[in-house]
Amino acid sequence: MMRQYELVERVRRYNPDTDEALLNRAYVYAMRAHGTQKRASGDPYFSHPLEVAAILTDLRLDDATIVAALLHDTIEDTATTRAEIDELFGAEIGALVEGLTKIKKLDLVSKQAAQAENLRKLLLAIAEDVRVLLVKLADRLHNMRTLHYVPEVKRNRIAEETLEIYAPLAGRMGMQAIREELEELSFRQLSPEAYRTIVGRLESSRERHIQAIAEIEAQLTKKLADNGITAEVTGREKRPYSIWRKMERKTVGFEQLSDLIGFRVIVGELAECYRTLGIVHTTWPMVPGRFKDYISTPKQNGYRSLHTTVVGPGRQRVELQIRTRGMQDVAEYGIAAHALYKDGNSAYERLSSDTQAYGWLRRTIELLAEGDSPEEFLEHTKLELFHDQVFCFTPKGRLIALPRRATPIDFAYAVHTDIGDTAVGCKIDGKISPLVSELQNGSEVEIITATGATPPAAWESVVITGKARAAIRRATRAAIRAQYAGLGRKLVERAFERAGKPFDEPRVIASLHRLARTSLEDALAAVGRGELRANDVIKAVFPEWTEDVSVPQQQRRQPEPITEAGWFALARARSVKFKVPGHGAVSPAGPAIPIRGINGDLPVRFAPDGGAVPGDRIVGILTPGEGITIYPIQSPALKVFDDEPERWLDVRWDVDGQERHRFPARLKLTSLNEPGSLAQIAQVIGERDGNIDNVRMSRRSPDFTEVTIDIEVFDLKHLNAIIADLRAKSVVSSVERYNG
Ligand code: MN
């Protein structure tokens, strides 16, 4: 265990003005408070807060943060109170420790609704003081490093929460070193099979890698020195998790991954980054499409660097990151690194200054305040956590940062809600483009608006940002309401006419209380929706009036027929939970599958070869007289309906995560003809809890067999995990999902 003076020494190395007495007091206080408590490893409990403090000294954080780390578990686990900490260490540290206590018990991988609420609490605590997050990340890092001591049953949950929430948060705050370590440790716990396979295969090519790294380091250093640039060139093998992610993303097998080593070139000043790039590109051929300039447009978390990939000696692909020492510190320490370059004041003031990462946090918190449902908030925050950013510009040159895959509609709403609401078209880099296209980095986007336009409800499933989705939903609700109110007005006016009574708005408004309605529009919309009878409105105004019962009931209550176009508008806009009978052959128990976005009573079924699983983007195709068929958006079968846009319905999954059902999917796989290869494939699927429904094989050559596997999975994430595990196997040369 680290000694008291060692901790103080670590802090003094980067902060000569540290308050030693304060650190000493906290050390002794925490050690006494935890007393004889033990960790799962058998170590004294105090070793944990001490390690957490040590991790934070690597980030060179201020005294208050280090002290908060030492005390972070005291309120929760010992007799200590907030008041006591305030008294002994001051209110600033008291608030930090209380913030950490609040978020300690938050379960971030529980059921959707609870998870969302917990994530919200976490972000609110962080928003109060971002140092809470820094301590929390260090806390989680130490817990992950010692995860093997924790009872088996708890490990997966902790690792899952780390991979889903804390690692992306670290990344978003720009703390890449911590992010990477959290990811590797979680991956190892959650996918032991894939981890072992990748590590094994890395080991078998280690010799080759070491040679290549040494060779390139030497060549590049010399080449740069010849050009008068002093650079620190370091190469390393990629980490298993980043390799796995790449296999998942690029849908390639291990063998096709050619760039398994990467280099970092650290130079003295900014101009040398570009000179180095020039030298690299004239020495080795560059791989097109891989160059990225994060110096001129930094990532939202403040990351700056040049990235390129070249074909190095030995014909292998080599990835290079070129940056200055200062950029390197930001890349590694992120938001914590900003403390390094300024002096005076407390670190906190420096941290809260407008760094890009902090801006992201603030915007996320603002979104919280806009009052979306917690589930929606979760969906969007997760999306934004996981996705890289694209940067686009307004015609006046204002930079708008959006999550990757964002559309011009998201862009419009990011500029201003009114612009989003009235957008009817756009120009990307001067060219008229569809509003649903995917934005590319660096594009200039001009939004064309039309006064009085309202956003189509269908946009809701196209946009990526929470802000856009919430605004579209608001506008859609208002438009639908107006539509119903218009219909209601016609019905009411006609009823008054039939009754021979004058339809007088002020008198109707004066009688609203008898209908328990707050506004005329509200009452008319209720009539339009069929919740209120037009005749009841007459009765409210003329209590003495009686209905002419000679008119047959049916005829009297017949609502105005809604036109087909009107029906579509309603069907698209309404978010009605709809239960669908299960796919017989697929789910023998026949569970109901809820899908959102479908109105009323039409039967719904899945396309026979569709294989849609929750997480897939889906569309419904309307067949008059038959009902609605659900297809995954990538299904080639949809091509037939291209010319009939009026049959397309926007639908969304509404699976609430409590009942887990299995859904069918089909894989096409090419396997080496080796003894036992099929058994290995089956084992991988089994270990991931996939059900194999059917397997068909056809030998295409003496070396390879094509295998079609029908499996049942819970959702897209589950399916992708299975695919990635299969790709990691050496007997598998390719795996693709197959859609119809
Ligand atoms: Mn702890």
Side-chain angles (χ1 to χ4, degrees), residues 246 250 259 287-292 307-309 317 319:
K246 196 164 249 182
K250 300 248 159 98
D259 41 356
V287 178
R290 297 291 295 270
F291 170 65
K292 290 196 190 77
H307 289 188
T308 189
T309 303
R317 282 176 171 214
E319 253 184 42

Side-chain angles (χ1 to χ4, degrees), residues 39 45 48 52 72-73 104 139 143:
R39 298 205 87 209
Y45 193 89
H48 165 65
V52 174
H72 81 270
D73 281 331
K104 192 171 171 183
D139 177 40
N143 287 335

Side-chain angles (χ1 to χ4, degrees), residues 255-571:
E255 294 306 339
Q256 286 123 290
L257 274 184
S258 43
D259 41 356
L260 293 172
I261 49 177
F263 287 83
R264 194 164 285 162
V265 185
I266 312 274
V267 295
E269 55 191 76
L270 196 148
E272 286 178 339
C273 293
Y274 291 98
R275 282 184 56 210
T276 301
L277 180 76
I279 292 162
V280 167
H281 282 179
T282 48
T283 306
W284 294 298
M286 76 179 276
V287 178
R290 297 291 295 270
F291 170 65
K292 290 196 190 77
D293 183 350
Y294 291 118
I295 292 180
S296 66
T297 15
K299 284 195 189 181
Q300 200 164 1
N301 60 20
Y303 176 87
R304 298 201 297 160
S305 190
L306 298 177
H307 289 188
T308 189
T309 303
V310 296
V311 182
R315 310 292 310 149
Q316 81 272 47
R317 282 176 171 214
V318 176
E319 253 184 42
L320 289 133
Q321 303 174 340
I322 305 166
R323 53 178 88 132
T324 65
R325 168 63 52 195
M327 295 173 195
Q328 165 64 12
D329 282 338
V330 173
E332 219 162 314
Y333 303 130
I335 196 164
H338 294 278
L340 294 174
Y341 296 103
K342 294 175 192 158
D343 40 18
N345 303 327
S346 76
Y348 177 46
E349 278 165 293
R350 285 175 245 147
L351 289 178
S352 60
S353 71
D354 210 13
T355 66
Q356 295 256 25
Y358 205 76
W360 173 80
L361 191 60
R362 227 187 15 241
R363 278 191 301 282
T364 307
I365 306 291
E366 275 165 17
L367 192 64
L368 269 179
E370 276 177 18
D372 271 343
S373 75
E375 288 88 345
E376 257 172 58
F377 169 73
L378 179 73
E379 187 185 322
H380 293 300
T381 306
K382 275 191 170 174
L383 258 177
E384 296 194 5
L385 275 176
F386 280 109
H387 285 91
D388 287 340
Q389 307 286 305
V390 289
F391 295 93
C392 297
F393 298 90
T394 65
K396 284 185 180 158
R398 184 176 150 208
L399 176 71
I400 304 284
L402 293 161
R404 199 161 54 82
R405 286 177 50 227
T407 63
I409 308 170
D410 293 292
F411 181 92
Y413 278 105
V415 174
H416 197 280
T417 306
D418 290 343
I419 297 190
D421 280 346
T422 56
V424 290
C426 73
K427 285 185 186 172
I428 298 177
D429 296 323
K431 268 193 279 241
I432 293 277
S433 308
L435 277 167
V436 295
S437 33
E438 193 176 308
L439 288 175
Q440 302 298 320
N441 244 328
S443 295
E444 185 189 288
V445 184
E446 184 186 345
I447 301 294
I448 303 161
T449 59
T451 334
T454 51
W459 282 3
E460 199 192 311
S461 58
V462 175
V463 296
I464 292 288
T465 53
K467 185 176 183 194
R469 184 169 285 185
I472 292 164
R473 196 165 290 179
R474 259 196 310 274
T476 306
R477 259 200 301 264
I480 295 302
R481 205 180 134 84
Q483 226 171 338
Y484 277 124
L487 177 62
R489 177 179 286 272
K490 274 191 212 153
L491 294 174
V492 170
E493 280 175 356
R494 198 182 302 162
F496 271 78
E497 202 181 288
R498 267 202 309 265
K501 301 280 183 192
F503 178 75
D504 177 30
E505 270 193 34
R507 286 192 70 177
V508 177
I509 291 168
S511 317
L512 283 175
H513 61 279
R514 292 201 196 103
L515 298 165
R517 299 287 161 177
T518 49
S519 69
L520 182 63
E521 203 204 6
D522 184 26
L524 294 177
V527 175
R529 276 194 300 268
E531 291 166 12
L532 180 68
R533 298 189 319 135
N535 281 352
D536 289 339
V537 181
I538 306 179
K539 275 187 197 158
V541 184
F542 302 100
E544 74 290 353
W545 180 77
T546 46
E547 290 179 44
D548 179 0
V549 287
S550 67
V551 182
Q553 183 88 5
Q554 188 124 56
Q555 201 183 330
R556 209 178 60 229
R557 298 201 46 187
Q558 188 80 48
E560 171 138 316
I562 301 176
T563 62
E564 203 183 338
W567 188 88
F568 275 114
L570 295 177

Side-chain angles (χ1 to χ4, degrees), residues 36-55:
T36 56
Q37 289 172 358
K38 292 266 189 290
R39 298 205 87 209
S41 60
D43 288 336
Y45 193 89
F46 178 59
S47 65
H48 165 65
L50 193 55
E51 283 300 329
V52 174
I55 291 170

Side-chain angles (χ1 to χ4, degrees), residues 33-315:
H34 287 294
T36 56
Q37 289 172 358
K38 292 266 189 290
R39 298 205 87 209
S41 60
D43 288 336
Y45 193 89
F46 178 59
S47 65
H48 165 65
L50 193 55
E51 283 300 329
V52 174
I55 291 170
L56 293 168
T57 61
D58 288 339
L59 299 177
R60 309 189 202 181
L61 287 168
D62 66 329
D63 288 349
T65 311
I66 304 295
V67 170
L70 289 171
L71 302 175
H72 81 270
D73 281 331
T74 55
I75 294 185
E76 179 75 30
D77 298 342
T78 75
T80 301
T81 61
R82 162 84 198 264
E84 207 174 321
I85 292 182
D86 279 2
E87 200 186 310
L88 289 168
F89 302 99
E92 185 193 3
I93 289 170
L96 283 173
V97 178
E98 189 172 353
L100 284 155
T101 309
K102 271 194 221 145
I103 62 177
K104 192 171 171 183
K105 286 272 147 81
L106 296 181
D107 184 351
L108 297 170
V109 287
S110 52
K111 282 186 311 211
Q112 290 272 306
Q115 185 187 3
E117 189 48 36
N118 286 339
L119 183 60
R120 195 178 130 98
K121 286 184 188 152
L122 175 74
L123 290 171
L124 287 173
I126 298 168
E128 267 174 42
D129 191 331
V130 77
R131 289 175 299 180
V132 168
L133 176 64
L134 302 181
V135 179
K136 183 68 200 178
L137 289 174
D139 177 40
R140 181 49 61 104
L141 182 57
H142 185 241
N143 287 335
M144 285 301 296
R145 282 177 183 169
T146 51
L147 191 66
H148 48 285
Y149 294 117
V150 171
E152 180 83 51
V153 288
K154 288 189 182 169
R155 284 184 216 163
N156 274 356
R157 203 194 60 78
I158 297 174
E160 209 175 301
E161 184 180 81
T162 304
L163 197 58
E164 284 205 355
I165 306 289
Y166 289 109
L169 262 178
R172 186 50 85 204
M173 294 296 125
M175 304 160 85
Q176 296 313 331
I178 288 187
R179 177 206 184 138
E180 215 173 65
E181 192 176 345
L182 288 175
E183 282 175 347
E184 295 302 326
L185 291 166
S186 311
F187 174 52
R188 190 176 186 161
Q189 171 63 34
L190 293 171
S191 308
E193 173 69 25
Y195 180 82
R196 270 196 303 276
T197 313
I198 292 175
V199 168
R201 301 185 74 175
L202 277 175
E203 262 160 22
S204 67
S205 40
R206 175 115 335 125
E207 199 105 322
R208 207 152 38 85
H209 286 165
I210 290 176
Q211 225 170 32
I213 288 173
E215 192 182 334
I216 293 170
E217 271 178 11
Q219 279 197 32
L220 191 54
T221 311
K222 179 167 183 312
K223 194 92 192 173
L224 291 174
D226 290 347
N227 285 274
I229 297 175
T230 313
E232 188 186 305
V233 182
T234 45
R236 65 168 192 171
E237 228 168 37
K238 296 239 170 104
R239 303 264 200 128
Y241 182 69
S242 83
I243 293 172
W244 190 72
R245 278 290 298 272
K246 196 164 249 182
M247 286 171 21
E248 207 180 29
R249 238 186 0 249
K250 300 248 159 98
T251 68
V252 294
F254 192 93
E255 294 306 339
Q256 286 123 290
L257 274 184
S258 43
D259 41 356
L260 293 172
I261 49 177
F263 287 83
R264 194 164 285 162
V265 185
I266 312 274
V267 295
E269 55 191 76
L270 196 148
E272 286 178 339
C273 293
Y274 291 98
R275 282 184 56 210
T276 301
L277 180 76
I279 292 162
V280 167
H281 282 179
T282 48
T283 306
W284 294 298
M286 76 179 276
V287 178
R290 297 291 295 270
F291 170 65
K292 290 196 190 77
D293 183 350
Y294 291 118
I295 292 180
S296 66
T297 15
K299 284 195 189 181
Q300 200 164 1
N301 60 20
Y303 176 87
R304 298 201 297 160
S305 190
L306 298 177
H307 289 188
T308 189
T309 303
V310 296
V311 182
R315 310 292 310 149

